[in-house]
Amino acid sequence: MVEGPDGAWWLFATQRRVDDDRPGVSWVHGTDIAVATSADGGLTWTHRGVVDGLDPGEGRNTLWAPEVVFAEGRFHMFVSYITGIPEQWAGHERHILHHVSDDLVTWKYHGIVPLSSDYVIDACVAPTADGYRMWFKDEAADSTTWCADSRDLETWGPSRPVIEGRPHEGPNVFTLGGWHWMIVDEWRGQAVYRSDDLEQWTADGRILVEPRGHHADVVATDDQAWIFYFTHDVSPFGETGAGEDPATRRAVVRVAEARVVDGHLVCDPHDHVDLDLRRAARTR
């Protein structure tokens, strides 16, 4: 999510094809990037369709997990890309593509981000003292989180591991309550990690366990954060019957409020959410 040049908030997301009747997991591939906007701080949203001009290939290909940031005087999108519409999860290369825009509508392709392998997805980008850092999932490294640094979002240094161990995806990094936080989707809720320097990360439990929150994005103020995440009627990651028909594929976007209490990230998805993204508006 990002604040647009018009002051509205723009939400970019993978648009699943729940009614696809081809074999296997074709329905999770061949996807576009959808966009919705809110002019009232996130209370109501208008679906604006799909983003044009993101696919540098021919035919129908797969776009996933857009990360959009405003930096260096313009908007940057880092989006996961798979050629074609695979019927299975594994066995095909995936890369992170870089696009730039001045208005969030028209995008110019800047190429593939050179990272640790040809099996990377789920970019998250945040500023550092020396420039910017991208965290991402490397499926060639047991589906763990890696990172790479850049001074200008164009040239990237070598990749290195950040969070290893249990497989996961969808890293998201934000700052709240005097700490840096990373949440990652373990397909059993979001695992939480805490850091005071963006280098060393300490495990700090899990949030969004029930309902099970998948691949989240976070908008933070000085003292509160809103976590936007998606859920399925039935999770497609291993539960019996999941993904076999449109009823078990449909996803909804939810929001929960997070705070730091005694040095720990606290988030109860059943609590009332005092949502007003205008509190997080940034001056350009």
Side-chain angles (χ1 to χ4, degrees), residues 21-33:
D21 59 2
R22 278 176 282 194
V25 292
S26 297
W27 66 278
V28 302
H29 297 105
T31 42
D32 291 308
I33 299 303

Side-chain angles (χ1 to χ4, degrees), residues 68-138:
V68 181
V69 297
F70 184 81
E72 303 296 311
R74 63 197 321 190
F75 296 98
H76 299 256
M77 180 185 293
F78 298 94
V79 63
S80 306
Y81 185 80
I82 298 171
T83 300
I85 311 175
E87 298 177 3
Q88 57 196 19
W89 289 106
H92 36 271
E93 291 187 358
R94 51 207 69 192
H95 299 94
I96 292 173
L97 309 185
H98 181 199
H99 301 75
V100 297
S101 174
D102 293 319
D103 59 6
L104 294 174
V105 176
T106 302
W107 293 89
K108 179 180 179 181
Y109 177 54
H110 270 213
I112 295 174
V113 181
L115 297 170
S116 51
S117 80
D118 292 324
Y119 298 89
V120 295
I121 61 173
D122 297 352
C124 168
V125 175
T128 65
D130 299 319
Y132 305 91
R133 181 164 298 164
M134 178 186 292
W135 293 266
F136 57 92
K137 174 189 179 184
D138 188 342

Side-chain angles (χ1 to χ4, degrees), residues 33-51:
I33 299 303
V35 61
T37 59
S38 174
D40 60 5
L43 298 180
T44 59
W45 293 85
T46 300
H47 184 251
R48 300 175 62 118
V50 299
V51 183

Side-chain angles (χ1 to χ4, degrees), residues 208 225-229 254-258 267-271 273:
L208 302 179
W226 297 285
I227 301 180
F228 293 81
Y229 61 98
R254 298 175 180 264
V255 61
E257 189 172 338
C267 178
D268 186 340
H270 302 289
D271 282 351
V273 177

Side-chain angles (χ1 to χ4, degrees), residues 1-3 9 41 126-127 172-183 216-228 255-260 265 274-283:
M1 294 181 62
V2 67
E3 185 195 2
W9 279 83
N172 194 274
V173 174
F174 59 100
T175 301
L176 184 68
W179 295 91
H180 303 295
W181 302 93
M182 182 189 298
I183 54 177
D217 197 10
V218 180
V219 178
T221 69
D222 290 337
D223 60 357
Q224 68 184 139
W226 297 285
I227 301 180
F228 293 81
V255 61
E257 189 172 338
R259 294 182 180 274
V260 176
L265 190 69
D274 181 19
L275 178 62
D276 188 353
L277 297 176
R278 289 168 295 192
R279 298 180 205 160
R282 294 176 292 277
T283 300

Side-chain angles (χ1 to χ4, degrees), residues 236-253:
F237 301 103
E239 294 183 9
T240 301
E244 293 180 356
D245 58 67
T248 63
R249 298 173 181 172
R250 293 189 178 95
V252 296
V253 176

